[in-house]
Amino acid sequence: MPSLENTHPEPLQSSLQKWWKESSVYQVYPASFCDSNGDGIGDIQGIISKLDYIKRLGSDIVWLNPVFSSPQVDMGYDISDYYGIHAPYGTVQDVDELAAAIHSRGMKLVLDLVVNHTSDQHAWFQESRSSITNPYRDWYTWKKPVFRNGERHPPNNWRSYFGGSAWTYDEQTGEYYLHLFAREQPDLNWENAQVPAAVHEIIRYWLDRGADGFRMDVINLISKDQRFPDAPITNPGSPWQSGKDFYSCGPRLHEYLQEIGKILKEYDAFSVGEMVEVDDPKEILKAVGHGRDEINMAFHFEIVNMDHGPSDKFSPRQWGLHELKEIVSKWQNFMHDNHGWNAIYLENHDQGRSVSRFASDGPKHREQSAKLLATLLGCQSGTLFVYQGQELGMPNVPQDWPVDNYRDIETLNHWKELIARHPENPSLHETALEQYRLKSRDNSRTPMQWNSSPNAGFSVGEPWIPVHSDYTRLNAAAQVKDPGSVYWYWSKILQLRKHHADTLVYGSFALVEPDHPDVFAFVRRPSLSTSPSALIVLNFRPYDVTWTVPATTEVCKAGGQVVLSNYPARIGSELVQSGSVSLGPMEAFVYFSEQK
Ligand code: TEU
Ligand code: CA
């Protein structure tokens, strides 16, 4: 028994094992997944028609980006009714049918909970803005202007994530309201107890209706420093500065999350929090630590922000393999040693495609790159997230993608601001367009590519955003037929995790030769001594690299073998300590020590 004064007794191994830790999640972006009625917009019936494709891949959970009523200023992250469904996606009855169809396949449904803000068209905000004395006034954050030299200014210098000030002046009541994102996305005021209460009702309603959990949008931003002070100048070129010090992981965040966690625990519901701006695992551990009973896990942004430059997301930065190794090792070891949990991802609806950003998307190495990244993700501890199209190795938009093809408010606002400030600077414009093709959120929002028929089989109508031109060759139908495809490689990775959960899901992590300039190698050791250890070797270069198995790698004692590789000839081979291995371009392999 742990000593009484030990406030954090070592939890029993069995109490650390959970269904949501061993699950993998397939993320569906409803607008771009499958259009069943030819209006060019994906919909819920379209998702239902493709559930067997998701099941066959081996995923356990389906996460839908927001499907609730919304004017779609930010693709549904501006919700106008949490109890209604965006009409082009379908009806509440369609969601019921989807939940039943998912459950009948033994999978679970996760919905996207966006409660840091609503749409400005939500009835709550329409009431709130109508008058100073309206009962809903305090459901949002309203502040008086600041006057300097007779000029009216916002209450502080905070920047919106979508450009400009995070405050918009409302003539009718002569006050500003806060919106960390678009002006059409006013932030809810969680200090007003009626707001958390309303959110708890929404959570219970959808859990009672068949959802099995939630992804929680920018959930670490819901508690703000009520002084609303000016932010330090971190971007001298702009009048607006990041106020993250005053709203990321704010003073009452864990109070709010503990209340939500109590409800989720009643339902044994799945939860993953999106935590922007957080690079400190200790901060995330406060929410995801064993026994904290707040949320199961959280997305951090350290990896996906590696290529973000100094001034903003769209300024260039070259990341290094050593950075990727350090970040992965940091989060793997911290959460393992502190009984926390990781959400493992490289792609989602906000990120460019990983083969283009972190490997090589040219015709020679795209497939091998996609399998290499699948190996990196699949062999880490944490819950694994696969975003639609990632299982096919879809790349970013092509070089000839014109600016008119973009739909995302974040990209379009950036372009408008750039043109306004630098109308005659073609080189700046070209740099921006190059950065959009690398990091714009639309890279992952082009329609899912089902087959080689027009519009990639996504829609018989005009898609809301153009289909990537490579669909005739790169599509699900072709890959499901090809046992050597990226799709089937992902399926094998998901199976390998299930078969070796003790090693790959729950085991420890240690880098091998951290300073190697080209190879990312690591060892996974099981939590139970009867399970095998694994050595994962990844050549992140599009050329041959000779790699020597370090003498210290005890995994490579006799009797082990390569069980998975994107070079089939490698499978079955043994490795010996100090042995030299010639790795092909973007080669990945998983070696298991002998099964005891
Ligand atoms: O994203 C949080 C967020 O800040 C993203 O905008 C992300 O940081 C940025 O795009 C990185 O490139 C969530 C949702 O995932 C996103 O789709 C919404 O636009 C945003 O919140 C507002 O709800
Ligand atoms: Ca449709």
Side-chain angles (χ1 to χ4, degrees), residues 295-308:
I295 52 178
N296 296 148
M297 65 198 84
F299 296 122
H300 69 75
F301 282 65
E302 272 208 283
I303 295 177
V304 294
N305 285 358
M306 283 193 309
D307 59 3
H308 289 195

Side-chain angles (χ1 to χ4, degrees), residues 87-134:
Y89 289 164
T91 64
V92 179
Q93 287 67 38
D94 288 319
V95 174
D96 293 343
E97 188 184 337
L98 173 67
I102 285 175
H103 294 152
S104 71
R105 291 167 172 79
M107 297 192 287
K108 291 180 179 283
L109 170 64
V110 166
L111 297 178
D112 208 318
L113 189 69
V114 187
V115 289
N116 172 69
H117 48 270
T118 70
S119 162
D120 62 347
Q121 301 308 306
H122 197 293
W124 298 340
F125 188 72
Q126 290 300 309
E127 287 289 326
S128 180
R129 76 179 321 166
S130 66
S131 86
I132 298 253
T133 56
N134 184 287

Side-chain angles (χ1 to χ4, degrees), residues 225-295:
D225 180 330
Q226 293 302 297
R227 297 169 299 153
F228 293 96
D230 266 349
I233 310 293
T234 49
N235 187 359
S238 168
W240 313 114
Q241 305 299 323
S242 165
K244 68 180 172 74
D245 297 347
F246 306 105
Y247 53 69
S248 174
C249 301
R252 298 182 66 184
L253 174 63
H254 296 289
E255 178 190 331
Y256 299 145
L257 290 181
Q258 295 268 337
E259 290 168 355
I260 290 173
K262 279 200 195 80
I263 301 169
L264 298 174
K265 193 167 183 176
E266 276 178 51
Y267 292 80
D268 188 22
F270 177 94
S271 56
V272 52
E274 184 197 32
M275 292 201 163
V276 291
E277 313 281 11
V278 186
D279 291 352
D280 179 357
K282 290 191 291 303
E283 190 54 51
I284 290 190
L285 188 70
K286 289 178 195 167
V288 308
H290 179 77
R292 289 286 299 165
D293 291 338
E294 293 186 6
I295 52 178

Side-chain angles (χ1 to χ4, degrees), residues 46-93:
I47 299 170
I48 292 172
S49 73
K50 297 295 183 183
L51 288 178
D52 288 334
Y53 168 84
I54 298 173
K55 177 70 178 172
R56 186 172 36 206
L57 181 66
S59 298
D60 309 286
I61 297 172
V62 176
W63 154 29
L64 293 193
N65 289 99
V67 293
F68 306 110
S69 303
S70 163
Q72 301 291 317
V73 168
D74 183 19
M75 294 302 292
Y77 281 91
D78 49 318
I79 294 171
S80 54
D81 179 4
Y82 291 93
Y83 298 94
I85 302 302
H86 180 47
Y89 289 164
T91 64
V92 179
Q93 287 67 38

